[in-house]
Amino acid sequence: MALAMARDELAEYLIKVFPQVADDFALERVDEESLTMRLLVADRHLRPGGTVSGPSMFALADVCVYAMVLACKGRQALAVTTNCSMDFMRRPDGASDVVAECRLLKLGRTLAVGDVLMYSEGSDKPVARASMTYSLPPEGSAAARMG
């Protein structure tokens, strides 16, 4: 399947619809199969003890799947998270960015399911894994055409 949005267009759109977190994430790569994004770890992402917080890693996983849906379907500003299951496996290094690899397992008319593995930069051992489900606006609806 060809992408509906290339990397640069997708990165611009994410900044447009979520300017409040534009400094938190960097979209590195997107293709038909997967997407790579990083959480640009700063003090606001750390919890006591110097580890990256769970809510920060949840946000990374959530943005990754949302971005992958956009890359495949086009501008769907009202695609929303309906479910998340997340496993925290190792302590992330608070001095390193968290890099996420995302792939869609299903992309249907009304639902998308994605899987995200997250790593501390420089490590090949995952720190967390998330499975996310998104509800997509009905095709042809005003919500599907937003953006």
Side-chain angles (χ1 to χ4, degrees), residues 38-61:
R38 73 175 49 231
L39 171 67
L40 304 169
V41 174
D43 286 343
R44 67 184 170 276
H45 302 118
L46 302 180
R47 53 174 274 190
T51 188
V52 179
S53 71
S56 295
M57 289 189 288
F58 170 86
L60 176 60

Side-chain angles (χ1 to χ4, degrees), residues 39-120:
L39 171 67
L40 304 169
V41 174
D43 286 343
R44 67 184 170 276
H45 302 118
L46 302 180
R47 53 174 274 190
T51 188
V52 179
S53 71
S56 295
M57 289 189 288
F58 170 86
L60 176 60
D62 199 33
V63 171
C64 280
V65 175
Y66 180 72
M68 193 72 211
V69 168
L70 292 175
C72 293
K73 288 273 217 183
R75 296 171 185 237
Q76 301 228 352
L78 294 182
V80 295
T81 310
T82 58
N83 191 53
C84 174
S85 174
M86 197 154 179
D87 298 306
F88 298 96
M89 297 180 276
R90 291 175 182 79
R91 181 180 178 202
D93 179 1
S96 299
D97 289 348
V98 177
V99 179
E101 293 288 332
C102 171
R103 63 188 181 102
L104 288 182
L105 305 175
K106 173 190 166 101
L107 182 60
R109 286 189 352 252
T110 60
L111 287 179
V113 179
D115 191 52
V116 182
L117 278 175
M118 291 166 266
Y119 305 83
S120 287

Side-chain angles (χ1 to χ4, degrees), residues 6-22:
R7 185 206 161 279
D8 291 345
E9 180 185 6
L10 178 57
E12 279 182 30
Y13 184 68
L14 289 171
I15 290 168
K16 177 183 172 186
V17 295
F18 295 113
Q20 67 273 28
V21 294

